[in-house]
Amino acid sequence: MKMPGNMQNMMKQAQQMQAKMQEQVAAIRVEAGAGGGMVTIKMDGHKNVLGVKIDPEVAGDVEMLQDMVMAAFNEAAKKVDEEANSKMGGMLGGMGLPPGLF
């Protein structure tokens, strides 16, 4: 089924925009910590953990360490979401597209 020329152009633009957004999300790098920086997580835009730093002081208390790692991970994931939404909002602003389209 052949689409009208204008619709084909719009679909092509949407695909190009989606590819650009994916590139921008992949380039995101965030760092978040817990326990006053005793545990730090580095994460990319796809929420892959790139690094973990743990202060030796908390290594002896396993429960506290687990809580801090979880808190730092969750904070890093939140920062990724916020930065990705910010980048996408800037690209899609004014187009009138529904949220979550891409």
Side-chain angles (χ1 to χ4, degrees):
M1 181 168 138
K2 184 149 169 84
M3 290 186 261
N6 192 25
M7 184 61 119
Q8 282 182 320
N9 287 340
M10 285 176 57
M11 291 298 291
K12 188 174 184 177
Q13 278 184 308
Q15 288 172 339
Q16 289 171 342
M17 188 175 286
Q18 183 179 14
K20 187 173 181 177
M21 283 189 291
Q22 287 174 346
E23 287 175 18
Q24 286 189 347
V25 167
I28 292 172
R29 298 290 183 269
V30 299
E31 187 172 308
M38 296 184 98
V39 173
T40 304
I41 302 278
K42 292 180 183 179
M43 187 178 284
D44 70 13
H46 293 294
K47 297 185 183 173
N48 294 312
V49 175
L50 303 174
V52 178
K53 181 181 158 245
I54 299 173
D55 188 311
E57 278 186 44
V58 296
D61 188 342
V62 175
E63 285 185 33
M64 183 170 67
L65 179 57
Q66 290 169 339
D67 289 344
M68 283 195 267
V69 169
M70 184 172 56
F73 179 87
N74 289 336
E75 182 63 25
K78 181 180 170 187
K79 284 183 175 186
V80 167
D81 288 342
E82 289 170 355
E83 194 164 333
N85 286 336
S86 173
K87 287 181 183 290
M88 284 188 226
M91 285 186 70
L92 297 176
M95 287 188 66
L97 299 174
L101 180 63
F102 294 106

